[in-house]
Amino acid sequence: MDSPQKIGCVLMAAGSARRFGSNKLSVQLEGITLAEHALNVIPSEEFFRVVVVTRYPEVVEMAKSRGFVVKINQEPDLGLSHTIHIGMEALDDADAILFLVADQPLLRQETILRELELYREHPDFIVSVGFRGRRGNPCIFPKSFFPALFSLEGDMGGNEVIKSNEDKLLFCDVDDE
């Protein structure tokens, strides 16, 4: 019998929000910050380890209070790829990693659970949430794609890896944008 896959989660919460103009993770929606929502939506029992990559002290405190591993991105200006690398280094023993962005306050935990279920049925594929044929976040990458993710530079993210491997992409379709 196969042993269950070790799936890790990386919450990417280190961006500088240049276009937004300030730390958007501290903005409140329905009484909680975007950062808090992102932390709350993670079904932590589904992951062998959750890593939060951030540069914000308030996110560090919230993540630690949930028992998540925190990694500080000291150089967020190196771009999204740097955040990805930091998270991956903390999950070097993972079989797959779900990458979650911190600015999706309407993302539901049920969506992540459905995505994980689809991934477990197809563990050789990248699984992305999708809506009406459009790819979104979060995305799960199996270990076979880790070298490609580690080769990313600057402000490039998993999108670059997906574009080169569309034949290995599955959508977890959701019914609301």
Side-chain angles (χ1 to χ4, degrees):
M1 181 175 180
D2 290 341
S3 62
Q5 284 215 325
K6 290 170 56 175
I7 303 172
C9 175
V10 172
L11 175 63
M12 300 180 292
S16 56
R18 277 186 219 100
R19 289 176 296 181
F20 191 75
S22 63
N23 176 10
K24 65 183 165 186
L25 299 182
S26 64
V27 171
Q28 291 202 358
L29 180 69
E30 297 178 359
I32 65 169
T33 64
L34 295 189
E36 193 171 0
H37 173 78
L39 292 162
N40 288 344
V41 78
I42 298 170
S44 57
E45 67 282 353
E46 296 291 324
F47 301 104
F48 83 98
R49 187 177 311 124
V50 175
V51 177
V52 177
V53 181
T54 190
R55 65 188 200 147
Y56 299 109
E58 62 275 18
V59 176
V60 169
E61 288 180 35
M62 288 186 283
K64 284 185 175 179
S65 74
R66 289 164 172 80
F68 297 159
V69 174
V70 174
K71 295 294 179 181
I72 305 299
N73 185 342
Q74 304 279 5
E75 300 177 281
D77 291 338
L78 292 178
L80 180 59
S81 65
H82 188 59
T83 296
I84 290 169
H85 298 161
I86 292 169
M88 291 181 70
E89 287 167 1
L91 288 166
D92 62 351
D93 52 344
D95 296 314
I97 300 174
L98 179 137
F99 289 91
L100 180 67
V101 295
D103 60 354
Q104 286 186 291
L106 303 179
L107 179 65
R108 297 187 314 247
Q109 192 172 81
E110 299 80 39
T111 300
I112 296 173
L113 292 170
R114 285 183 44 217
E115 183 179 15
L116 285 164
E117 183 179 335
L118 181 61
Y119 170 76
R120 288 181 177 117
E121 293 169 4
H122 304 279
D124 296 327
F125 285 82
I126 299 168
V127 177
S128 171
V129 170
F131 177 73
R132 295 186 180 162
R134 287 186 46 219
R135 182 171 37 83
N137 285 306
C139 293
I140 303 172
F141 289 86
K143 191 175 202 116
S144 60
F145 293 96
F146 290 6
L149 290 167
F150 265 119
S151 73
L152 295 171
E153 296 178 350
D155 214 27
M156 295 190 323
N159 188 38
E160 301 303 316
V161 175
I162 292 170
K163 282 188 213 173
S164 302
N165 296 281
E166 289 189 357
D167 60 323
K168 296 295 280 182
L169 174 66
L170 292 177
F171 282 111
C172 176
D173 290 312
V174 294
D175 56 4
D176 77 56
E177 194 170 12

